[in-house]
Amino acid sequence: MATILRKTEKIQDTKAVKEFLNKNGIVYESFPAPSALDSILGQKSLNDSEKEELLRGLEYRFDDLKKQFGYIARDLVVLHNEIPGIQDVLAKFDKLHIHTDEEVRYIVDGSGVFGFIVNGEKFEVHVAKGDFISIPENTNHWFTLDDAFRIKAVRYFKDNTGWTPVYVDESKVLVHS
Ligand SMILES: [Fe+2]
């Protein structure tokens, strides 16, 4: 369940989270992961065949999302403290950036933090298992892990050519109140 931290308030109610994000152009849904996948999701690290098994178990969701949004591909990201070069991976995405394609994530285990600056306001969306979020192209955002330092997320793509961070100068987009 996602929580939004604004300067002035904390939003936890699912309907209110969805409304706030939608108002800012961000798609948010909550999809419980099937309990049949609990044992594989409970593992910190997954080998390639376990990743495939997990994606197969979530194929029904991909089929639905293909119809709804037109995605053509998906893969699985597994991040935790024992991943080689994890700090370098995180360093690419923890600074304000945009992409020229949408960034779509379905969190199936663990948690993390998406930060945004939209319409001059900076806010954080703390995501956890079951959260689905789609960040439109050219939306200022960053991502980092939280203290639990563990996440599994399915990425969905319409096109993987636009998926490189383009860094943004925060002082140019943030409105200080
Ligand atoms: Fe990104």
Side-chain angles (χ1 to χ4, degrees), residues 11-147:
I11 306 174
Q12 287 178 292
D13 172 72
T14 305
K15 192 163 168 270
V17 163
K18 191 171 174 171
E19 277 174 10
F20 177 83
L21 292 176
N22 289 173
K23 198 178 69 188
N24 284 287
I26 299 157
V27 173
Y28 171 79
E29 299 289 346
S30 178
F31 299 131
S35 53
L37 297 174
D38 278 354
S39 70
I40 200 162
L41 290 172
Q43 293 177 224
K44 178 175 177 178
S45 164
L46 300 180
N47 62 32
D48 287 347
S49 69
E50 290 164 336
K51 286 181 181 174
E52 271 309 308
E53 186 185 336
L54 181 50
L55 285 171
R56 271 199 307 277
L58 294 167
E59 204 65 358
Y60 72 100
R61 178 64 59 205
F62 183 34
D63 290 340
D64 280 356
L65 293 169
K66 268 187 214 167
K67 284 183 207 135
Q68 199 180 347
F69 298 107
Y71 305 132
I72 56 166
R74 86 284 185 261
D75 67 9
L76 178 71
V77 178
V78 178
L79 299 177
H80 54 74
N81 62 345
E82 289 168 28
I83 298 281
I86 181 68
Q87 295 298 349
D88 294 336
V89 172
L90 292 174
K92 281 189 202 162
F93 300 108
D94 68 2
K95 291 177 275 299
L96 192 67
H97 64 273
I98 58 167
H99 304 281
T100 54
D101 192 12
E102 62 188 309
E103 175 169 335
V104 187
R105 298 288 181 273
Y106 174 31
I107 316 303
V108 290
D109 176 61
S111 52
V113 181
F114 283 99
F116 293 92
I117 299 180
V118 180
N119 299 324
E121 180 188 347
K122 187 188 244 185
F123 57 90
E124 289 181 356
V125 182
H126 291 243
V127 292
K129 183 174 180 173
D131 290 328
F132 172 89
I133 191 164
S134 173
I135 303 167
E137 60 187 27
N138 300 319
T139 300
N140 300 308
H141 70 281
W142 71 93
F143 175 78
T144 190
L145 291 177
D146 56 21
D147 291 345

